[in-house]
Amino acid sequence: MNIASVLACIMAAALLLYVLLAGADYGAGFWDLLSSGPSKDAQKELIANAIQPIWEANHVWLILILVLLFAGFPPAFGAVMIALHVPILLMLVGIVLRGSSFVFRAYSTIDSEMRKACAYVFSISSSFTPFFMGILIGSLSDNRVLVSEDVSINGYLFNWLNPFSVSMGLLTVALFAFLAASYLTAEAATDELRRTFRNRTVGAGVAGIVLTVITFALSAEYATGLREGFTRNSVAICFAIIAWLAIAVSFVALYKGCFQLSRIMAAVHAGSIVVVWAVAQYPYIARPQRTIFNSMLSATVVHDIVLACVAGAIVLFPSLGILLYVFKDQRRNKAAASSSKVQP
Amino acid sequence: MSHLLSARSQMGISLAFHIIFAAIGVSFPLMMTIAEWRWLRTREPVYQVLAKRWAKGAAILFAIGAVSGTVLSFELGLLWPRFMEKAGSVIGMPFSLEGFAFFTEAIFLGIYLFGWERVPEFLHLLSGVMVAVSGVTSAIFVTFVNAWMNTPAGFDLVNGEFTNIRPFEAMFNPAALPEAAHMVLAAFCAVGFATAGVHSLLMLRRGRNRFDEVAIGIALTVGSIAVLAQGVSGDAIARMVAKTQPVKLASLEGQFKTEVGAPLRIGGLPDTKLRETKHAIEIPHGLSLLAFHDPNATVKGLNDFPEADWPFVTAVHISFQVMVGLGSMLSCVALLWGWFAWKRKQIGDHPLLLKLLVLCAPLGFVALEAGWVVTELGRQPWIIVGVLRTKDAVTEFPDLQLPFLLVSLLYFVLGCIVLWLLAAHVIADPRNRDADAV
C-alpha cells in the first residue's frame, strides 16, 4: 500500500469515528427538537445527560480530516474549499450555533426564556448541521466539483444543490437520528422512555433505508462514478451487506429488548455505510478531478504526517480509553452523574 | 467593502473572537491545577471548591473555544485557498500535532471534570497537569504556524512552487520559539489578571472572604509571573523581528528614516505622508539598544523599503504602543502584588487595591488582542513574508461580503450572550454557594 492510500485510510478512519461519536450527539439534538408527548421533559433530560459539553472535543476528528487534507493533498483541499464554500460555511454556522447554544442552555438556568431560546437554537442547529455535512459528502461524490484557475466551473450554488446531494444530506440526518435513538434507548431509565426511543429508532431506521434506496437510485443519474466504484468493488459490496444485516439485527434486538445489542448494531450499520462510501469514492477526494494521487505534492511530507499521526494516536487512544472508562463509571452511578453535571 | 478587505475582516473577527477563549483554555487549567495541588497539600476545603469551580468555568468557555477553532481551521481554506494550496504541506505538521494536543487536552479535561472521587487523588491531579500541559502545547504548535508565515523556512521556492519541503525545519522556523513563548505568557497574563479582577469585584460586593482571597492569590501570582517574564520574552521577540522583519520593526516603532543609534519612541502618531512620527517621547539610542543590544546599531527605516511593502503603519504603531503600555502597567501591579506577598499582607484589607484589580481585569486581554494586531497587520501586505502577498492568496469566491456579514453577526450575538451570562452569573449575583460553604 502506498503512502497516499495510508493517509487516505487514516482520514476515512477519522470520518468513521466522527460519525459514530459526534453523529450520535447531533442525532440527540435532532430528537431534542422532536421531543413531544407527556414525557417531553424526561426525554429532554435524558438527551441532555447523554451529551456533555466536553464532547465538543469530537470536532477534533473533523479538524483532523481537514488538516490531513491540506497537509497531504493541498490541491484537492483548495478545490473543495473554493467550489463548496457555501455549504461548508453553512455547516460551520451550524457547528458554532450548536456548540455555544448547548453551553448557554446549560449555563442559563435563571432566565427560562433565554434557556428556551438556546434550547431551540441547539436542536435546530443539531439538525441542519448534519444535513450540510451530508450535502458536502454528496457533492464530493457527484462529479460537479470542477475548479479551474481557482474558479468553480459549475458555479457556487448548483454544484451542490441537486437531488443527489440533498438526498445524501437527508440520509445523514436519518443515520445520525437512528444512531442517537438506539444509544438513547439503551440509556433510558424508564419503560416509557425506552418505548418512545425504541419507536424512534425504528422510524429513523426505516427512513434511512428509504433514503438509501432513493440515494442509490439517484446516483445512476448524478453520481455515476461513485455508483461504478460501489458496484464493482467487492469490499464495498461486502460492507453494504454488513450494513443491511446490522440494521436487520438491530431491529430484531429492539423487538426482543436487547438494547445493548441494538446499539452496537446501529453503530456497525453507520460505520459500514461510511466504509462503503469511502471505498466507492477511492481514490477520489473530489470527483471528477482530484484523486489522492494527483493531489499529493510530496510523498516525503505525507510520510512525515503519517508518522505524526501514529505518534499522536499513541497518546490519544489510551487517553480516550481512560475517559470512556470514567464516563461509563459515572453513568452507572446516578448520584455522581447529577453532581457533576454542568451547573452555573 | 472590497473583496480582499472582506476576507481580511472576516479572518480578523474570527481570530479576535477565538483567541479570547483559546487563551482561557490555555491558562485556566494551570490555575485550577495549582488550586487542587494546594488542596492536596493543605487539605483546606476552600482550595478544592475553587479548583472545581474554575474547572467548570474552563469547561464552559473551552467549548466555545473548540467550536470557534473549528471555524478558523476551515476559514483558512475558505478565505485563503491559494495560501493553503501552497503552504498546506509545509505547515501541516504543526497543525496535525496541534490537533492531537488539543484532543488530549479535551480528554483529560473530561477526566478532570468527571473524575472527582472516581480516580485516585494523585491521578486526578495528574490529569489536571495533563490538561494544562497539553493546552500550552496546542497553543505552541498553532503559534508555530503563524511564526512560519512571518519567517518562512523549510522549503525551496522553484518557479513559485514549494519543493523539497522539510516539515520539521518549517515548524522550528526562526520566529517559532520567541512567538510561542510570547503568546503563552500573554495568555497566562490576560487570564490571571482577568480572574483576579473578577474575584476582586466579588469580594468588594460580598465582603471579605477566604474563597475570593485564595482565588485572587493564585490568579494574581500566575498573572504577575507571566507579565514579568513577558519583559524578557518581549526582548527576544523584538530582536528576532529586528533581524528577520525590518519593515515590521520600523512600522511598530514609527521609524521612517534609517538611523544610527535610533531612539525609542513612546506614544506618537506616525504620519505616512510626511514620513515622520510626531508627538512621541523619544529616548535617544533606545531602539538600537533594545533591538540590537548596541546603542549605535543602525535601524533601517521605512523609507528604505518600497511603499507597496509597508503595512498600515499608524495602526501597527498604535497597537504596539497599547500592548507595551498595558504590559508595563500590569508589570507595576505585579510588582505591587509581589511586595504584598513579601510582606504577607492580606488583600482583603485593601479595598483600593481590589478596585485597582477590577480596573486591570480587561487590560491583559486588550494587550493580547493588540499584540495580535501588531503581528498580523505588521506582516501585511504579505500572507507569507517575502513569498506570497495577501491579495494573491484570497479566494475567487464572488460574494465575500455575505459570509463576512454572517460571521460578524454570529460572533457579535455570541459575544453579547457570553458577556450577558457572565454579568448575570458572576457579577450581578454575588451570593454564591461556594463562597458560603467555606
Side-chain angles (χ1 to χ4, degrees):
Chain A
M1 197 139 105
N2 58 63
I3 199 73
S5 305
V6 172
L7 189 62
C9 280
I10 295 177
M11 289 166 68
L15 181 66
L16 183 79
L17 286 165
Y18 186 68
V19 166
L20 291 185
L21 297 170
D25 278 0
Y26 282 112
F30 173 79
W31 291 120
D32 191 82
L33 184 67
L34 294 195
S35 53
S36 59
S39 67
K40 188 173 172 181
D41 291 336
Q43 293 169 24
K44 283 184 183 280
E45 202 192 321
L46 173 67
I47 291 165
N49 284 342
I51 17 178
Q52 301 286 353
I54 186 63
W55 286 99
E56 287 309 311
N58 277 330
H59 288 302
V60 182
W61 296 118
L62 190 63
I63 298 180
L64 189 66
I65 297 167
L66 184 86
V67 168
L68 297 181
L69 183 60
F70 73 61
F73 314 112
F77 172 81
V80 172
M81 287 292 151
I82 290 167
L84 300 174
H85 192 116
V86 181
I88 292 175
L89 189 73
L90 292 172
M91 178 187 86
L92 289 176
V93 170
I95 286 175
V96 172
L97 284 178
R98 183 182 176 280
S100 19
S101 59
F102 181 80
V103 167
F104 294 156
R105 186 179 68 162
Y107 216 155
S108 59
T109 40
I110 47 170
D111 189 328
S112 68
E113 282 303 307
M114 181 78 178
R115 197 181 151 80
K116 249 186 233 164
C118 286
Y120 206 58
V121 173
F122 166 71
S123 45
I124 291 182
S125 49
S126 291
S127 314
F128 84 70
T129 311
F131 176 64
F132 285 110
M133 283 176 187
I135 282 199
L136 213 61
I137 298 277
S139 314
L140 293 180
S141 334
D142 74 359
N143 298 336
R144 278 179 182 74
V145 179
L146 272 165
V147 171
S148 164
E149 304 271 309
D150 296 320
V151 174
S152 175
I153 293 175
N154 292 322
Y156 295 91
L157 278 183
F158 294 101
N159 57 348
W160 56 274
L161 204 57
N162 61 67
F164 175 74
S165 297
V166 170
S167 136
M168 279 287 257
L170 294 173
L171 177 61
T172 309
V173 176
L175 193 65
F176 287 4
F178 171 67
L179 261 182
S182 71
Y183 287 12
L184 288 166
T185 313
E187 275 169 32
T190 66
D191 282 341
E192 196 197 345
L193 273 182
R194 209 170 287 140
R195 244 193 329 274
T196 310
F197 280 106
R198 189 189 62 188
N199 294 341
R200 286 178 181 174
T201 311
V202 175
V206 170
I209 292 172
V210 172
L211 283 163
T212 308
V213 173
I214 294 176
T215 310
F216 186 69
L218 285 169
S219 70
E221 192 184 337
Y222 291 93
T224 42
L226 185 78
R227 192 187 176 97
E228 214 166 284
F230 169 66
T231 45
R232 284 195 190 159
N233 190 307
S234 51
V235 178
I237 294 169
C238 262
F239 273 91
I241 294 168
I242 293 176
W244 284 107
L245 284 176
I247 199 167
V249 174
S250 146
F251 282 166
V252 174
L254 273 182
Y255 177 72
K256 298 240 178 202
C258 311
F259 300 120
Q260 286 299 339
L261 179 66
S262 148
R263 159 149 82 169
I264 293 167
M265 283 301 130
V268 171
H269 171 72
S272 309
I273 290 188
V274 174
V275 176
V276 170
W277 175 80
V279 171
Q281 178 78 346
Y282 181 87
Y284 287 90
I285 292 168
R287 286 174 184 273
Q289 245 175 354
R290 292 293 173 191
T291 68
I292 54 173
F293 302 113
N294 69 22
S295 294
M296 182 174 67
L297 293 189
S298 153
T300 336
V301 171
V302 174
H303 197 269
D304 287 352
I305 299 281
V306 167
L307 281 181
C309 286
V310 171
I314 290 172
V315 181
L316 188 67
F317 284 103
S319 319
L320 204 58
I322 302 172
L323 177 71
L324 286 173
Y325 177 76
V326 174
F327 250 88
K328 239 176 91 185
D329 211 33
Q330 178 239 357
R331 291 241 172 103
R332 225 177 280 140
N333 188 332
K334 284 197 99 184
S338 60
S339 71
S340 55
K341 248 188 286 170
V342 176
Q343 279 159 2
Chain B
M1 193 180 251
S2 81
H3 189 73
L4 178 61
L5 191 60
S6 298
R8 285 179 58 194
S9 309
Q10 185 181 336
M11 199 70 197
I13 284 187
S14 308
L15 274 168
F17 184 87
H18 172 69
I19 201 124
I20 294 174
F21 299 95
I24 292 168
V26 169
S27 29
F28 240 78
L30 176 72
M31 301 197 318
M32 84 192 182
T33 310
I34 293 176
E36 188 182 3
W37 170 70
R38 294 295 301 154
W39 177 63
L40 291 178
R41 283 289 300 272
T42 64
R43 293 290 164 183
E44 255 193 89
V46 64
Y47 286 113
Q48 195 195 18
V49 175
L50 185 63
K52 284 189 177 177
R53 196 165 162 73
W54 274 352
K56 261 176 206 167
I60 286 159
L61 299 167
F62 182 85
I64 300 181
V67 290
S68 55
T70 310
V71 173
L72 263 181
S73 54
F74 275 89
E75 273 179 343
L76 280 173
L78 288 179
L79 300 172
W80 318 105
R82 292 186 200 159
F83 162 61
M84 296 307 283
E85 267 172 45
K86 284 187 185 293
S89 290
V90 195
I91 53 172
M93 182 59 78
F95 263 127
S96 342
L97 294 174
E98 195 264 348
F100 284 110
F102 177 77
F103 217 150
T104 312
E105 183 185 4
I107 288 169
F108 280 98
L109 186 61
I111 296 174
Y112 193 88
L113 287 173
F114 300 107
W116 292 100
E117 287 128 39
R118 320 240 117 232
V119 229
E121 273 176 358
F122 169 72
L123 287 180
H124 192 263
L125 181 70
L126 191 70
S127 65
V129 173
M130 285 296 290
V131 181
V133 170
S134 46
V136 169
T137 313
S138 79
I140 289 175
F141 282 131
V142 90
T143 314
F144 280 0
V145 176
N146 181 269
W148 181 83
M149 292 157 74
N150 283 309
T151 57
F155 58 90
D156 299 330
L157 201 61
V158 180
N159 302 327
E161 294 300 322
F162 289 55
T163 54
N164 188 19
I165 296 164
R166 303 173 295 278
F168 287 96
E169 196 183 321
M171 191 158 93
F172 294 104
N173 59 79
L177 290 174
E179 250 198 53
H182 205 61
M183 176 58 215
V184 170
L185 289 172
F188 284 137
C189 164
V191 176
F193 277 96
T195 312
V198 168
H199 282 279
S200 302
L201 184 66
L202 287 172
M203 179 122 79
L204 285 170
R205 290 186 147 242
R206 62 189 172 196
R208 202 176 153 179
N209 65 80
R210 179 95 179 116
F211 179 77
D212 288 327
E213 215 155 52
V214 298
I216 295 171
I218 295 174
L220 214 47
T221 305
V222 168
S224 297
I225 293 173
V227 79
L228 294 175
Q230 197 65 299
V232 183
S233 126
D235 177 64
I237 207 167
R239 276 189 296 148
M240 181 277 296
V241 169
K243 215 164 110 187
T244 58
Q245 290 178 273
V247 188
K248 189 188 255 182
L249 181 78
S251 327
L252 50 88
E253 289 291 345
Q255 181 79 33
F256 286 94
K257 275 182 252 154
T258 298
E259 253 179 295
V260 177
L264 184 71
R265 292 180 188 79
I266 297 172
L269 202 63
D271 187 329
T272 40
K273 286 215 180 75
L274 293 175
R275 300 195 166 201
E276 57 182 314
T277 301
K278 286 178 185 162
H279 317 300
I281 302 166
E282 296 195 355
I283 299 169
H285 299 278
L287 179 57
S288 294
L289 185 65
L290 281 181
F292 297 98
H293 286 195
D294 166 11
N296 293 314
T298 311
V299 175
K300 271 191 139 186
L302 284 163
N303 290 343
D304 278 12
F305 301 96
E307 210 165 324
D309 286 354
W310 291 9
F312 182 7
V313 178
T314 315
V316 174
H317 178 73
I318 292 174
S319 306
F320 182 68
Q321 300 296 320
V322 167
M323 176 184 78
V324 174
L326 293 179
S328 312
M329 276 169 64
L330 291 179
S331 299
C332 295
V333 178
L335 291 174
L336 186 67
W337 168 249
W339 182 77
F340 252 68
W342 177 259
K343 291 278 174 195
R344 298 194 173 276
K345 285 181 180 239
Q346 290 303 323
I347 198 154
D349 298 331
H350 300 269
L352 217 69
L353 183 61
L354 288 177
K355 282 177 188 160
L356 177 69
L357 288 177
V358 174
L359 287 178
C360 286
L363 300 188
F365 276 107
V366 176
L368 178 78
E369 296 278 6
W372 274 107
V373 172
V374 173
T375 319
E376 297 296 272
L377 272 190
R379 195 191 58 234
Q380 301 302 328
W382 302 98
I383 194 163
I384 309 170
V385 172
V387 177
L388 183 66
R389 281 177 195 269
T390 314
K391 67 176 167 61
D392 297 328
V394 72
T395 180
E396 293 288 332
F397 181 77
D399 301 304
L400 275 183
Q401 287 86 350
L402 282 175
F404 167 57
L405 280 178
L406 185 71
V407 169
S408 313
L409 191 72
L410 184 65
Y411 284 143
F412 178 73
V413 172
L414 288 186
C416 289
I417 297 178
V418 170
L419 284 177
W420 180 81
L421 283 175
L422 282 178
H425 281 271
V426 185
I427 295 155
D429 186 21
R431 280 172 299 109
N432 182 307
R433 289 184 306 272
D434 297 342
D436 295 340
V438 288

